[in-house]
């Protein structure tokens, strides 16, 4: 690990301003200089819409069409100083993250994302350049996930606050709920766990390496399409790992009234996470088992139904008393916190 | 008008704590004392769901069902210090307002609201009592409007931030867009304008009277059901008056490529608004014509199609050059601001 150097800096790989940079290309304009309605234009100009969007931005509400009349809806809030820091993440990264974490919720239902409505609140002195790159990030991640930006609200605030609501099409395969896991099912994972948490640990200590985990913290890489894949294969329960693997598997165990045992060796130990563990003196399995924000998908499948690219990481068992549930690691209770609580 | 007295106070008419009161019944507990997951329980316990909700809170996403597969979606953000003040509005009022302003957007499309997902962000030291009353307000207004609370997200923040996304069912009558007004149509209004703005003017000067306008600022009273009514009657364009009558009619004029003339005398002059005008030295028509936040519905109708309870306040005319638009008052341009811009 190398501490961040403020001189002799390495090239910044993103098109957006480097985190912490002062508006290198914007001529110093702020969003207060252009006003709410020009900002709305900036967000909405030249947007493309997928074929399930009947009415995009510009009226009192947007309209989407679903195949069987069932529409999924989920919301996630990102707040500066709580979910991101402008000196740790570029505007592009934050825009991409805001979309990715929401798409992941629709994926976790075994469904297809359609469109997002975005609430954007910020102080008037925020640089217009920052907002431009943020919007570019939003659009790029929307393209990657196949979703359209269909509406929103823009207001003043002390802290940058991003509220993304996503709509999805559940279709005939879904929904895959948290409540369907059955004893005998396999627990499987697609995507990464622990990377973003290890990245946060590095950033918190003033480092910008290992680069792979720092970038994982800046922008998650959810396995787009894997949710629909799992639904088609017959997944019995599914969740996206946003708060930590053990905590989120706990939600499945609780809702399904089952026990889940995670096999630690099945997770492997990625080198950059091991490195962060060494540098911080923290058992690296803490990152793997309790780190959130990578937005992997965890699902349960009947044996034999596992789709390609998923890794079996555990098993579902019968709970000892009706209605009880538990999550264990290699047969034993996990000592320590299981995930993230916003107020604890 | 009477300045607010901090002693000899009048009885507080709401079940919630009086604005500014310190947590009179909560034993001093904060939301950090109970944590995120207990808060979620508090919000979701005992919720009832209308028959278009297929899946409520508790999974990665909620599911609603619409009649023809088309789902409306809109979002509004309310932020402490920007959209409300805790010393001006009770927790109940703020909860009610958060729902009302969103229902109004669905009404303005000529549609039926189904459910809301709510993002709630707050500092850890916020009193649990405040949150309880806030939730009570959310639930009461949901009941009033016939919508269900179907999901959400709870996070930490410096300022209380409420993000409400509402889903609606557009049905065969709708949608009524902003773009359908035609020369010869009548412009009509249902609901109040100017009351909330006059209330804000009073509160800003330290007054809590006239009570009627102060209460209008604390909780809007949108004319629930009027949007669907207008759609059925054949409204050609519709909008909810959230930013000010002239500004919002401007959106219809712009989208429809027409001119709109508002007849000032048709608006009447409610006594409490006249009183605020007198006390502040501001032309009370400024409140009526440019004040937002009452969430009346403004719509255009072909002559003869006007439903009961709507007041004709103007006429739609041909624009002089193709693609141009204008809003006038008694045939003349309005001098002064037309509505609210969040950054100007």
């Amino acid at each position: 690990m190398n501490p961040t150097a403020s001189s002799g800096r390495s090239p910044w790989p993103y098109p957006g301003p480097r985190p912490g940079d002062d508006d290198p290309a914007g001529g110093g304009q702020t969003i207060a200089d252009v006003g709410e309605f020009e900002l709305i234009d900036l967000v909405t100009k030249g947007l493309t819409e997928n074929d399930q969007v009947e009415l995009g931005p510009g009226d009192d509400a947007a309209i989407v069409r679903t195949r069987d009349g069932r529409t999924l809806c989920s919301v996630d809030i990102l707040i500066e100083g709580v979910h991101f820091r402008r000196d740790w993440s570029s505007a592009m990264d934050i825009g991409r993250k805001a979309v990715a974490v929401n798409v992941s919720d629709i994926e976790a239902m075994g469904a297809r994302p359609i469109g997002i409505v975005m609430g954007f609140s910020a102080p008037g002195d925020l640089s217009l350049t920052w907002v431009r790159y943020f919007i570019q990030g939003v659009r790029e991640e929307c393209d990657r996930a196949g979703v359209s930006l269909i509406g929103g609200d823009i207001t003043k605030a002390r802290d940058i606050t991003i509220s993304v609501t996503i709509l999805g099409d559940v279709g005939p395969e879904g929904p895959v709920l948290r409540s369907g896991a059955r004893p005998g099912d396999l627990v499987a994972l697609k995507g990464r766990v622990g990377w973003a948490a290890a990245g946060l640990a590095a950033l918190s200590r003033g480092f910008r390496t290992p680069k792979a985990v720092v970038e994982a913290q800046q922008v998650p890489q959810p396995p787009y399409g894997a949710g629909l894949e799992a639904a088609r294969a017959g997944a019995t329960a599914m969740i996206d790992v946003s708060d930590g693997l053990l905590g989120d598997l706990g939600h499945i165990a609780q809702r399904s009234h089952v026990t889940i045992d995670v096999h630690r060796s099945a997770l492997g130990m990625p080198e950059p996470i091991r490195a962060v563990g060494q540098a911080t003196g923290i058992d690296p399995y803490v990152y793997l088992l309790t780190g959130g924000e990578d937005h992997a998908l965890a699902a349960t499948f009947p044996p034999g139904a596992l789709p390609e690219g998923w890794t079996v990481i555990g098993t579902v068992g019968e709970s000892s008393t009706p209605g009880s549930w538990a999550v264990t690691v290699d047969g034993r209770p996990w000592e320590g916190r299981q995930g993230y609580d916003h107020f604890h």
Side-chain angles (χ1 to χ4, degrees), chain A:
Chain A
M1 286 196 193
N2 302 309
T4 311
S6 61
S7 60
R9 37 194 4 208
S10 59
W12 180 241
Y14 302 102
R18 180 192 292 266
D21 271 3
D22 281 335
D23 192 14
Q29 266 200 311
T30 68
I31 57 175
D33 292 331
V34 299
E36 178 180 356
F37 295 101
E38 205 170 315
L39 268 187
I40 292 173
D41 275 353
L42 191 70
V43 177
T44 56
K45 207 162 52 188
L47 278 182
T48 55
E49 284 159 15
N50 69 40
D51 59 6
Q52 292 189 270
V53 177
E54 182 165 314
L55 183 70
D59 220 297
D60 294 293
I63 303 177
V64 301
R65 242 186 338 267
T66 54
R67 286 169 290 169
D68 64 3
R70 295 185 300 167
T71 305
L72 285 153
C73 181
S74 177
V75 66
D76 267 306
I77 313 289
L78 296 181
I79 298 181
E80 180 176 12
V82 179
H83 302 87
F84 64 86
R85 284 174 48 164
R86 271 190 277 166
D87 56 341
W88 286 0
S89 297
S90 73
M92 281 267 295
D93 287 347
I94 295 163
R96 289 186 54 196
K97 189 172 185 168
V99 175
V101 301
N102 275 279
V103 171
S104 182
D105 284 320
I106 297 297
E107 291 268 346
M109 299 294 279
R112 183 198 291 176
I114 302 174
I116 60 166
V117 293
M118 184 170 72
F120 181 79
S121 311
D125 64 1
L126 181 64
S127 91
L128 191 59
T129 300
W130 193 94
V131 175
R132 281 186 200 279
Y133 282 116
F134 168 76
I135 292 164
Q136 192 181 331
V138 167
R139 289 186 177 208
E140 284 187 12
E141 198 68 18
C142 278
D143 286 347
R144 207 177 306 249
V147 304
S148 304
L149 178 60
I150 58 173
D153 188 20
I154 294 183
T155 73
K156 252 187 318 205
R158 275 206 297 173
D159 299 312
I160 299 175
T161 303
I162 304 151
S163 147
V164 176
T165 306
I166 188 158
L167 301 182
D169 184 343
V170 63
E173 307 88 0
V176 181
L177 305 182
R178 297 177 179 180
S179 53
R182 296 290 164 259
D185 283 352
L186 299 173
V187 180
L189 190 70
K190 185 154 184 177
R192 308 186 305 186
V193 291
W195 291 66
L200 183 63
L203 285 164
S204 303
R205 285 162 176 81
F207 295 98
R208 292 207 178 261
T209 58
K211 217 168 154 229
V213 295
V214 166
E215 286 176 7
Q217 168 61 32
Q218 288 161 335
V219 186
Q221 295 179 24
Y224 291 146
L228 199 56
E229 205 177 86
R232 287 188 176 136
T236 51
M238 187 151 51
I239 194 166
D240 83 307
V241 183
S242 55
D243 291 337
L245 183 61
L246 296 184
D248 286 321
L249 288 178
H251 293 306
I252 288 184
Q254 184 174 19
R255 287 301 175 85
S256 302
H257 310 300
V258 295
T259 63
I260 287 178
D261 187 44
V262 175
H263 311 150
R264 220 164 67 153
S265 61
L267 292 169
M269 177 52 71
E271 187 43 45
I273 296 180
R274 185 195 309 278
V276 172
Q278 225 149 24
T280 58
I282 289 173
D283 175 4
Y285 280 106
V286 169
Y287 301 121
L288 257 65
L289 293 168
T290 71
E293 294 199 281
D294 287 298
H295 298 274
L297 290 175
T300 55
F301 295 90
L306 202 74
E308 237 179 281
W310 288 71
T311 306
V312 175
I313 60 159
T315 48
V316 179
E318 199 117 19
S319 64
S320 53
T321 55
S324 75
W325 62 277
V327 176
T328 51
V329 178
D330 294 332
R332 283 192 301 271
W334 173 254
E335 311 282 341
R337 62 192 274 168
Q338 304 222 329
Y340 191 72
D341 180 314
H342 252 281
F343 295 101
H344 278 156

